[in-house]
Amino acid sequence: MGDAKKAVLQVSISLNKVELSVGESKFFTCTVIGEPESLTWYNPQGESIVSTQRVVLYTEGVRSRLTIYNAIVEDAGIYRCQAKDAKGLTQEATVVLEIYQKLTFRSVQTPQEFRQGEDAEVICDVISSPVPAVSWFYKNKEILSEPNNRFQVLSNNNLQILRVGKSDEGVYRCEARVEARGEIDFRDIAVVVNVPPVLSVPQQSFNATADADESVTFTCISSGSPDPQVTWHRKGQLIQSSEQHVLATLEGGRSTLMVRRVGQGDGGPYTCRATNKAGILESQLVLKVFVQPHITQLRNVTAVEGSAALISCSAEGEPLPEVSWRRASDGQSFSDGDKSAEGRVEVRGRHGKSMLTINGVRLTDLGRFDCEAKSRIGEHQKSMYLDIEYAPKFQNNHTIFYSWEGNPVNISCEVMSNPPATILWRRERYTISSEPTANTRVHSGPGRSLLEVTPMSERDFGRYNCTARNNIGARYQEFILAQADVPSNPYSVRLTAVAQRIATVAFMKPDSHGGVPIGHYLVNYKEPAHQEWRSVRSHGVQTTVELTNLEPNTTYEVRVAAVNGKGQGEFSHTETFQTLPIREPSPPTVLGQRGVGKAYRLGLTKQDDGGMPIVEYIVKYKPDKDDQWMTKLVPGVSEFALLQPLQWNTRYSVEITARNIKGLSEPTYFTFLMPQKPDITADSLFSSLGLGAVVGLGVAAVLLLLVLVDVSCFFLRQCGLLMCLTRRLCSRKSATSAKGKELEEGKAAYLGDGSKEPIVEMRTEEERITNAEDGSPMNEPTETTPLTEPEKLPLKEENGKEVLKPDTIEIKVHGENSHHTNAGDSKA
């Protein structure tokens, strides 16, 4: 019986019932009494347990230890420890493992953020076994799930807040309890409500002018929770801060973007973007950039005469400018759609481009055209030049040239052309060499070629061809070199003015100049009895010639011939004319002028002298209140007569007569008034002079008185110092003055007073008043004295008229510087 007991195994486990919290670890020991052949553990599912990392089985002899690490709910159940003996009999022991969940908060985050206006669910993930009871608290007050309350505790223990707002922010407490165990725990969860960005833009549209060094500042005002981050974008690209783009963040959520030095490419939309956890909001701002008109394309144009010229002008700007044209030659303007009066000029344009078309281009279209682009913010102008190419055009209509053998002539061929033409000379289909030859030489210049031809024989005369050629075309002009002749004869020869010694010949130019311009005219004249002609040459080609040094009262023949380069032509028909006889002079012409002191100056204008030089002027003058005339003789070559001394404040009458060898002119009458005496007294005069000056004046007065007395003795009684000097002088010259006693010159002066009875003064060339010492001529008399009335004496001239004989003439010469003789003295 004892053996039997030994054969039965006894199995026991250290614990028979165990409560284990999730996550805890526990081990169980199975002990066998007897001699077991094996020990095996079985899990609640009846499966034998094999060691793992979490569930570890350790058997040693009659003991076996089962360790469960970090228990989980699935580990709960009945675990069996079974022992088997050699006979195959088994005995087992069991242990009940109960797994419970203590209060555990899983994934409870704080803070929890929500977007304003949405339904928020504050998560409080808490587990336990049995299931915990969860309560929520806010501001130390429990949140009760009442109907129509925005706050509700959900079945999953989470807190729901409908339409959460910024005022719902704060700390919420999630509290969990296990009544069976008296277990309690809580978590504080911060609830944050994020408000999406709000943007306001004070100004949404901006204007700026490009390239005017302007700046524009965009402003965005943002709000939100948390404070939004503001960024600026353009064309989908983030704008980074740079020298041109200046970013700034100011107080009050104000953000700015400054665009500096606005250019044409800076226009368009800009985006202000505000970003936070609650969302993104954008606002668009627009920059309109006005661009000054700018002409981008305008080129010079070259057109061929007669073709069409197309001139294009392109312009840019904002707003797009209107393009117009102006022709500089006449100032005429053309706009889009315009057409000139003749219809040749037309303008078409759109979108800042204009095309000016000129049909049938003429040379008058050559020149500058101005393109003007204009908008409301400005204008821009550029100019182009229309160049016109054309075939050569000959400028000179002179195609006939005259010359003669041995005389070089220049034939000029002047050409206008574009581009410049080459000019060749031809003669009878042969090209004239540019190298000099015996009778041709070519001188070329821009637009001109000069052919110098020296005809050596008759074959050098004829046709010469000038050919001008450029890439537009070729033209030629023919010139004729003809043999020149002398001019034909002038005609209608007539005398337009004839005097005693001068005659003016007028004539009509010849009908033919012989092919060579007339250089001058040759006038021949002579007296009919003479064989030789005298010649006078005209000034240039004047058709009037003055003949001088003619003899008075003489008949002359005159004829005219024209002279050109070839030679002198035929004379005209011979005309005859007669010069006038010598006569008395014309009445003198005088011009009065106040003199210095008690003097008066009479200017003598040269007049017609009647064919002989004026010998002298006889000037008679007297105060109007007197009857006695004073006489002054003035040489014929004088330009004036000085009358002095005169009386102050007195009117004078003057009678002037001119005399030549023929006789006296008709008198010219003249009156003048002497002014008042100047206000200068003797006292003031002498008071301003020193004692020496006063004594000198006294001595001069005494000497003057003596001279006057001597002169009076000379005239009245033929005595005194002056008479003595005169007799000595006359006696010295008596041997050489025989010719002086005869009237070779036939000069006679009729000195008339009111009675018109002649007082005659005769003077030969040798009887000029001379200085007694050296025989030099002395001044003509200037001072005058009243004349006595001599007896009338007859005169005889060469033509048979009576003349005065020298020994019967009383000669009276008046003046301080003259001497007087009578008939008896001249014979001495």
Side-chain angles (χ1 to χ4, degrees):
M1 183 138 182
D3 295 333
K5 287 182 180 179
K6 290 182 180 178
V8 176
L9 300 175
Q10 295 181 5
V11 180
S12 63
I13 299 175
S14 57
L15 297 171
N16 60 0
K17 186 176 180 180
V18 176
E19 286 186 354
L20 189 63
S21 174
V22 174
E24 292 182 339
S25 300
K26 206 76 171 178
F27 68 90
F28 309 96
T29 303
C30 178
T31 305
V32 179
I33 298 174
E35 294 180 358
E37 193 173 291
S38 63
L39 281 175
T40 305
W41 284 87
Y42 292 92
N43 62 20
Q45 286 77 31
E47 300 168 348
S48 75
I49 296 174
V50 179
S51 290
T52 64
Q53 190 173 359
R54 194 174 64 83
V55 179
V56 178
L57 188 63
Y58 179 74
T59 302
E60 183 179 4
V62 294
R63 280 180 188 275
S64 181
R65 184 171 68 243
L66 174 64
T67 304
I68 299 176
Y69 293 98
N70 297 326
I72 61 175
V73 174
E74 288 78 8
D75 293 334
I78 300 172
Y79 288 83
R80 293 179 300 137
C81 177
Q82 187 182 71
K84 183 185 287 188
D85 60 11
K87 294 181 179 182
L89 296 175
T90 62
Q91 289 292 329
E92 59 182 28
T94 61
V95 60
V96 177
L97 178 60
E98 291 184 355
I99 302 295
Y100 72 91
Q101 176 71 54
K102 70 176 182 178
L103 285 173
T104 303
F105 291 90
R106 299 185 301 175
S107 304
V108 177
Q109 296 179 354
T110 185
Q112 293 186 30
E113 297 185 8
F114 303 96
R115 184 173 178 178
Q116 183 183 36
E118 69 179 358
D119 294 339
E121 185 174 341
V122 185
I123 297 173
C124 183
D125 186 6
V126 59
I127 59 173
S128 71
S129 56
V131 176
V134 176
S135 300
W136 286 87
F137 296 87
Y138 179 58
K139 296 181 180 179
N140 297 323
K141 289 184 180 180
E142 186 178 356
I143 298 172
L144 300 177
S145 298
E146 296 176 353
N148 301 323
N149 192 351
R150 289 193 307 115
F151 296 86
Q152 297 289 330
V153 180
L154 302 177
S155 60
N156 60 2
N157 296 327
N158 292 342
L159 175 64
Q160 184 186 58
I161 306 174
L162 299 177
R163 300 179 303 281
V164 67
K166 193 69 177 173
S167 61
D168 299 327
E169 274 190 339
V171 177
Y172 289 77
R173 176 166 287 185
C174 173
E175 186 178 273
R177 300 182 307 279
V178 178
E179 296 291 341
R181 296 193 295 272
E183 188 178 358
I184 188 169
D185 200 0
F186 66 88
R187 292 289 185 270
D188 285 338
I189 302 171
V191 172
V192 176
V193 178
N194 292 328
V195 180
V198 176
L199 282 175
S200 64
V201 178
Q203 182 179 347
Q204 199 162 18
S205 179
F206 296 82
N207 294 334
T209 302
D211 305 321
D213 203 20
E214 294 185 10
S215 297
V216 172
T217 301
F218 303 112
T219 302
C220 264
I221 303 173
S222 64
S223 62
S225 182
D227 290 338
Q229 180 187 6
V230 177
T231 55
W232 295 88
H233 302 262
R234 181 167 186 263
K235 295 181 179 179
Q237 300 294 322
L238 176 67
I239 297 176
Q240 302 285 354
S241 185
S242 64
E243 185 179 350
Q244 187 185 13
H245 298 108
V246 180
L247 301 173
T249 301
L250 308 175
E251 294 180 355
R254 188 178 295 263
S255 296
T256 60
L257 165 64
M258 177 190 287
V259 181
R260 301 178 61 199
R261 295 189 297 276
V262 174
Q264 182 176 359
D266 295 325
Y270 288 75
T271 301
C272 169
R273 180 182 298 169
T275 306
N276 66 5
K277 293 178 180 180
I280 298 174
L281 189 63
E282 293 182 348
S283 185
Q284 194 175 76
L285 302 92
V286 177
L287 173 59
K288 187 174 182 63
V289 177
F290 294 102
V291 181
Q292 291 271 4
H294 180 70
I295 296 173
T296 58
Q297 182 180 13
L298 182 67
R299 296 188 179 92
N300 293 335
V301 172
T302 300
V304 177
E305 183 183 15
S307 66
L310 304 178
I311 309 172
S312 174
C313 182
S314 298
E316 293 178 349
E318 181 60 41
L320 204 61
E322 293 184 357
V323 181
S324 61
W325 297 86
R326 191 177 71 87
R327 185 164 55 193
S329 60
D330 57 4
Q332 186 174 359
S333 297
F334 301 96
S335 300
D336 183 26
D338 284 355
K339 212 171 189 180
S340 63
E342 74 274 18
R344 289 193 312 111
V345 182
E346 187 174 3
V347 176
R348 287 284 181 267
R350 62 175 184 171
H351 304 311
K353 186 172 183 178
S354 182
M355 180 72 73
L356 175 70
T357 304
I358 305 176
N359 295 306
V361 171
R362 303 170 183 169
L363 290 185
T364 54
D365 298 324
L366 179 79
R368 193 184 83 233
F369 285 79
D370 301 326
C371 175
E372 184 178 61
K374 183 183 293 186
S375 71
R376 57 190 172 91
I377 68 164
E379 60 184 53
H380 186 217
Q381 179 177 305
K382 274 190 175 180
S383 300
M384 59 79 61
Y385 189 82
L386 175 61
D387 191 23
I388 300 174
E389 293 185 337
Y390 54 93
K393 301 177 185 294
F394 293 98
Q395 294 296 99
N396 46 351
N397 296 323
H398 181 201
T399 58
I400 300 179
F401 293 81
Y402 290 87
S403 186
W404 55 93
E405 292 180 6
N407 177 64
V409 62
N410 291 330
I411 303 176
S412 178
C413 182
E414 296 181 8
V415 177
M416 280 182 57
S417 61
N418 187 25
T422 57
I423 303 176
L424 293 176
W425 288 93
R426 297 176 182 274
R427 168 83 165 140
E428 296 176 355
R429 295 179 298 180
Y430 294 101
T431 301
I432 298 175
S433 173
S434 58
E435 296 296 325
T437 65
N439 57 352
T440 60
R441 187 183 297 265
V442 177
H443 307 276
S444 294
R448 185 184 186 211
S449 183
L450 201 69
L451 176 63
E452 180 185 339
V453 181
T454 305
M456 305 305 291
S457 63
E458 185 145 349
R459 69 169 178 269
D460 293 327
F461 296 95
R463 300 179 183 274
Y464 288 82
N465 179 290
C466 174
T467 300
R469 185 188 308 273
N470 64 5
N471 59 359
I472 307 301
R475 300 287 186 274
Y476 71 90
Q477 187 173 32
E478 200 166 64
F479 297 88
I480 297 176
L481 178 58
Q483 291 203 52
D485 198 357
V486 294
S488 60
N489 60 285
Y491 58 94
S492 297
V493 179
R494 61 195 183 282
L495 277 299
T496 58
V498 178
Q500 287 85 359
R501 299 184 182 276
I502 298 174
T504 301
V505 181
F507 47 88
M508 300 292 289
K509 64 181 181 180
D511 293 332
S512 170
H513 54 60
V516 183
I518 293 173
H520 64 275
Y521 294 95
L522 191 67
V523 178
N524 281 2
Y525 67 99
K526 69 178 182 67
E527 297 178 32
H530 293 178
Q531 296 297 322
E532 293 186 4
W533 293 86
R534 287 189 283 173
S535 298
V536 177
R537 181 171 169 169
S538 67
H539 293 287
V541 291
Q542 291 184 1
T543 55
T544 57
V545 176
E546 187 177 77
L547 306 181
T548 59
N549 298 324
L550 302 177
E551 292 295 326
N553 199 22
T554 304
T555 301
Y556 287 92
E557 295 177 340
V558 63
R559 63 184 184 179
V560 185
V563 181
N564 65 5
K566 179 71 182 290
Q568 177 181 314
E570 295 181 357
F571 278 104
S572 66
H573 177 71
T574 300
E575 293 292 330
T576 303
F577 69 94
Q578 184 172 3
T579 55
L580 298 179
I582 294 175
R583 60 173 176 79
E584 298 83 0
S586 300
T589 302
V590 296
L591 179 65
Q593 184 180 3
R594 175 81 170 85
V596 178
K598 299 171 68 175
Y600 195 85
R601 177 183 173 119
L602 289 175
L604 300 171
T605 304
K606 297 305 179 186
Q607 84 276 29
D608 181 10
D609 59 7
M612 290 296 286
I614 294 174
V615 176
E616 60 189 357
Y617 294 96
I618 302 151
V619 183
K620 295 173 60 181
Y621 61 99
K622 72 178 183 65
D624 283 356
K625 60 186 178 182
D626 293 348
D627 294 331
Q628 186 68 41
W629 290 87
M630 290 174 286
T631 304
K632 184 179 182 67
L633 301 181
V634 179
V637 295
S638 297
E639 296 181 354
F640 66 92
L642 190 65
L643 307 182
Q644 64 179 3
L646 304 176
Q647 300 176 22
W648 297 113
N649 194 24
T650 303
R651 181 173 296 279
Y652 282 85
S653 297
V654 183
E655 181 181 305
I656 307 103
T657 307
R659 180 176 71 84
N660 66 3
I661 193 172
K662 182 68 175 176
L664 295 170
S665 70
E666 290 295 323
T668 295
Y669 300 98
F670 184 78
T671 62
F672 64 89
L673 177 64
M674 285 295 288
Q676 293 281 354
K677 180 179 180 180
D679 188 15
I680 300 176
T681 63
D683 293 340
S684 63
L685 176 62
F686 285 109
S687 64
S688 63
L689 299 176
L691 178 61
V694 173
V695 172
L697 288 174
V699 173
V702 172
L703 291 175
L704 179 62
L705 180 61
L706 292 175
V707 170
L708 292 176
V709 170
D710 188 72
V711 170
S712 300
C713 292
F714 171 75
F715 282 112
L716 299 177
R717 302 182 180 277
Q718 287 81 38
C719 64
L721 180 61
L722 182 61
M723 187 64 188
C724 181
L725 292 173
T726 304
R727 289 183 180 275
R728 288 187 178 184
L729 180 65
C730 293
S731 62
R732 289 178 184 177
K733 297 182 65 177
S734 59
T736 58
S737 58
K739 295 182 180 178
K741 298 176 183 179
E742 299 178 3
L743 295 178
E744 293 183 357
E745 297 294 328
K747 295 182 180 178
Y750 290 85
L751 305 180
D753 56 10
S755 65
K756 298 183 181 180
E757 293 180 353
I759 297 174
V760 181
E761 177 187 8
M762 298 301 296
R763 188 183 304 159
T764 65
E765 290 298 320
E766 294 184 2
E767 288 179 329
R768 289 182 180 176
I769 302 167
T770 57
N771 190 296
E773 298 297 328
D774 55 7
S776 60
M778 298 180 66
N779 293 334
E780 289 288 328
T782 56
E783 294 297 330
T784 59
T785 56
L787 299 179
T788 58
E789 294 185 9
E791 57 179 336
K792 296 181 181 179
L793 299 175
L795 291 174
K796 272 197 175 181
E797 296 184 356
E798 295 179 359
N799 56 7
K801 296 180 181 179
E802 291 183 351
V803 296
L804 290 175
K805 295 182 180 180
D807 57 348
T808 61
I809 296 175
E810 180 184 359
I811 301 174
K812 290 188 179 292
V813 180
H814 311 286
E816 294 178 356
N817 299 324
S818 59
H819 65 271
H820 300 259
T821 62
N822 57 22
D825 295 330
S826 63
K827 292 178 182 180

